[in-house]
Amino acid sequence: MTETATGSFDETMWNGLLHGGLGGTFMGVPKVELDREAIRASGAKAVVYGFPFDATTISRSGANYGPRAIRETSVQFTNFQATFDFDLFAHLPLVDGGDCHVALGNTPKTFERVEADIAEIVAAGAIPVVFGGDHSVSIPVGKAAKREGTNPGWVQFDTHLDAAPNVGGEELNHCCTITRAVDNGYDPAKMVLVGISGWMNPKTELKYCRDHGIRVIWLEDIWERGTAWAVEQILERVGEEGFYLTFDVDALDAAFAPGTCAPTPGGMTMREAIEIVRGISPAGLIGVDIAEPAPSLDHSTRTQLVAGRIALEALASHAGAPRTPVYVG
């Protein structure tokens, strides 16, 4: 409700995003309040959180509809992976905490709200699993996911370096996820960018990565050396305190993820992405976000299905899913 000048409330007045809030939970899991005691009582080890926000995009908009679309298409998944005879929910109970309450037109205030919500998830001993939203969602989520006194790694799948100091003077932008992660205490020596390629990476951002010693695994490196090599390179960097995983769907070839603000012709294949995510996630996740799915820019549901699949692969591997098929026919 919206308060009027007289102090009363207008029940007919909107007070936030018309498409925000739950139409249904992810995979039908229970809904839980974003309160540490409520999350503990649920027994959850991971909490889905929607971040319907794309106010910082420099390109096409539409990622603010990502969380709802991912939840809607999640009916195409079950919690059982037959290849590995693995029940995700038996190993990693999952609940849905709903969406961030976006402060319209106010990025700093929105991010403050997100940090408070994610802090409740972390305090409850659960992993935040965030569906964006443009890639700026990683800024407050990554900040809040990092516990004080810890030194986790940061792994970012992306076509773009996202290492801009600012965009037109604005520091809270989806081109600034890496720079803000460093500002928020992530050690550049434990950061890895995966799948970087293409024609939208400015000299300034390349210089930032070089100057700070951030490891960049170019898409061409994966083509030449393979996914197993990429997994080894990532694990050498992130260390033993786990890592924050952010996956921008534009890392994928536009054939797999056309519904995103800056689709990538010739990007990573879905198979390459799954192989790497499965390979690194056993090292321990402190948080996950899937950024930039924009369902209105995809005539099918493939992009949001990709987003849900990547999240499930990461969670399952983190929770101990086998690496090889267990059924022998």
Side-chain angles (χ1 to χ4, degrees):
M1 293 183 292
T2 299
E3 189 171 3
T4 67
T6 61
S8 61
F9 288 93
D10 180 359
E11 294 182 357
T12 69
M13 182 66 179
W14 50 85
N15 67 352
L17 295 175
L18 298 182
H19 59 272
L22 287 176
T25 66
F26 182 69
M27 296 179 66
V29 300
K31 170 71 168 64
V32 70
E33 293 301 316
L34 287 170
D35 170 81
R36 64 190 68 183
E37 295 304 327
I39 296 169
R40 286 194 190 108
S42 75
K45 297 302 180 184
V47 180
V48 170
Y49 181 81
F51 198 161
F53 179 85
D54 67 354
T56 79
T57 184
I58 65 169
S59 186
R60 305 187 302 174
S61 60
N64 53 339
Y65 285 90
R68 174 161 289 197
I70 294 168
R71 287 188 176 105
E72 288 175 352
T73 55
S74 70
V75 297
Q76 301 292 331
F77 302 113
T78 72
N79 49 292
F80 181 66
Q81 225 291 15
T83 307
F84 306 120
D85 193 15
F86 186 81
D87 185 335
L88 175 61
F89 294 171
H91 292 80
L92 192 76
L94 184 68
V95 296
D96 195 320
D99 282 358
C100 159
H101 182 49
V102 173
L104 297 177
N106 191 329
T107 300
K109 187 172 183 179
T110 298
F111 283 15
E112 288 175 6
R113 292 174 176 177
V114 171
E115 287 179 36
D117 288 343
I118 300 301
E120 292 298 308
I121 296 172
V122 173
I127 300 169
V129 183
V130 178
F131 296 133
D134 72 39
H135 214 161
S136 70
V137 303
S138 300
I139 297 173
V141 177
K143 181 179 179 181
K146 182 180 181 296
R147 291 178 178 271
E148 185 175 356
T150 63
N151 187 25
W154 179 286
V155 179
Q156 181 162 319
F157 287 73
D158 211 316
T159 283
H160 312 110
L161 294 166
D162 285 356
N166 62 77
V167 176
E170 296 294 327
E171 295 185 349
L172 300 180
N173 185 274
H174 75 149
C175 300
C176 304
T177 57
I178 291 298
T179 39
R180 297 296 81 81
V182 173
D183 292 346
N184 289 332
Y186 284 88
D187 182 355
K190 301 181 76 171
M191 302 178 79
V192 187
L193 292 170
V194 185
I196 309 301
S197 69
W199 298 84
M200 289 187 69
N201 287 298
K203 294 178 181 179
T204 299
E205 297 187 29
L206 183 59
K207 184 177 187 302
Y208 182 93
C209 291
R210 285 173 172 165
D211 290 348
H212 287 78
I214 295 168
R215 180 73 164 95
V216 176
I217 297 178
W218 302 95
L219 179 60
E220 287 78 0
D221 290 332
I222 298 171
W223 291 348
E224 180 180 351
R225 303 181 185 185
T227 57
W229 171 86
V231 169
E232 291 177 359
Q233 297 297 305
I234 295 166
L235 294 179
E236 285 180 5
R237 275 277 178 149
V238 297
E240 299 179 354
E241 294 187 56
F243 64 96
Y244 184 83
L245 172 62
T246 172
F247 193 105
D248 187 328
V249 297
D250 71 26
L252 296 165
D253 190 291
F256 301 97
T260 188
C261 81
T264 302
M268 190 182 300
T269 68
M270 188 62 181
R271 177 175 172 177
E272 289 168 337
I274 290 174
E275 288 177 348
I276 298 173
V277 167
R278 284 179 177 174
I280 64 175
S281 295
L285 302 173
I286 68 164
V288 181
D289 75 62
I290 312 295
E292 305 275 354
S296 63
L297 302 177
D298 182 349
H299 72 277
S300 70
T301 60
R302 80 188 79 170
T303 305
Q304 53 262 44
L305 283 169
V306 160
R309 176 75 185 265
I310 290 294
L312 290 175
E313 295 291 347
L315 293 174
S317 295
H318 166 84
R323 295 292 302 277
T324 56
V326 297
Y327 175 72
V328 179

